[in-house]
Amino acid sequence: LSDALAKLGAQVVSIPTIEIRPPKSWQPLDEAIGRLQQFQYLLVTSVHGVRNFFSRLTLHGRDARALQNIKIGAIGPGTASELEKFQIRADFVPVGEYAAEGLLDVLRADSVQGKTFLIPRARVARDILPETLRKRGAQVEVVEAYHTITPRLSIEHVKGLFNPSPSLITFTSSSTAKNFVSLLGETDAQSLLNNVTVASIG
């Protein structure tokens, strides 16, 4: 995103509000990988989820062939591109809305009643995807593939980046938004964003 904006002539300043860490335990993901034959769908919602899933799959002596009977959904083109690095082409990718709602819209074409889903994702994430699938009659197993934390940043440094105020601020996940507010506090975050256009990925 930063590169694309820069090519369009924008001056881009990145504020890293999330840091990716391994899960506290690999056991749930490893156990799910050991039972892959039980799942009919694999849904991946981030590049990090893809990388860690295939890292553990490889660690257990398996490769892309383990997924040959599983339909695979990616939340967006970036995640789908990461899958291709592991010789996997996503069966479905939303167009235009790269969030859980986009995946759910694509899945409407399939009857998910009684189907089994595996979703490796961040420990803290929106629950609309698994909850909606369950309401539609699917069996869903969510496993932690990584977790995000708020990095240590100087609050004064971040505030300084808003003087003068940017034309636009982008949030590329729910975690970046939550951590931005957590870092600055609700009052200061609202004040800094008061006259700034805000763009959200989903």
Side-chain angles (χ1 to χ4, degrees):
L1 177 60
S2 296
D3 290 344
L5 288 170
K7 286 178 182 177
L8 291 171
Q11 291 180 286
V12 181
V13 176
S14 295
I15 306 174
T17 58
I18 58 172
E19 183 179 325
I20 307 300
R21 294 280 184 90
K24 291 192 173 180
S25 171
W26 290 109
Q27 186 175 348
L29 179 57
D30 288 346
E31 288 181 350
I33 286 173
R35 297 181 283 105
L36 276 179
Q37 70 280 0
Q38 296 179 7
F39 300 100
Q40 292 161 290
Y41 289 81
L42 171 68
L43 303 183
V44 284
T45 58
S46 74
V47 167
H48 309 293
V50 172
R51 290 173 183 165
N52 285 4
F53 176 85
F54 280 94
S55 172
R56 302 307 291 184
L57 188 71
T58 302
L59 187 67
H60 290 283
R62 307 178 76 181
D63 57 25
R65 290 172 294 181
L67 301 171
Q68 59 184 343
N69 296 317
I70 300 175
K71 287 188 176 182
I72 300 171
I75 202 165
T79 306
S81 178
E82 191 68 22
L83 281 170
E84 290 177 0
K85 294 178 182 178
F86 298 94
Q87 312 306 312
I88 293 290
R89 180 169 293 177
D91 294 293
F92 46 90
V93 183
V95 177
E97 184 174 13
Y98 309 136
E101 289 84 351
L103 266 179
L104 289 167
D105 284 343
V106 173
L107 282 165
R108 287 184 189 280
D110 282 23
S111 173
V112 302
Q113 177 76 35
K115 301 292 177 62
T116 51
F117 287 76
L118 175 62
I119 306 177
R121 65 174 200 182
R123 184 174 67 197
V124 177
R126 297 169 68 226
D127 286 327
I128 186 170
L129 181 59
E131 286 182 355
T132 303
L133 289 172
R134 289 178 182 128
K135 287 177 182 177
R136 294 181 186 175
Q139 299 176 47
V140 184
E141 185 167 340
V142 178
V143 292
E144 182 186 349
Y146 64 97
H147 78 275
T148 62
I149 64 170
T150 306
R152 293 181 180 178
L153 294 173
S154 163
I155 295 176
E156 294 308 314
H157 171 69
V158 174
K159 287 181 178 179
L161 298 175
F162 283 78
N163 186 19
S165 291
S167 309
L168 176 76
I169 184 168
T170 65
F171 292 103
T172 54
S173 71
S174 56
S175 293
T176 61
K178 288 177 182 176
N179 290 0
F180 179 82
V181 175
S182 174
L183 176 71
L184 293 169
E186 191 170 324
T187 300
D188 282 348
Q190 287 180 341
S191 176
L192 288 173
L193 297 179
N194 192 36
N195 294 309
V196 180
T197 300
V198 177
S200 169
I201 200 168

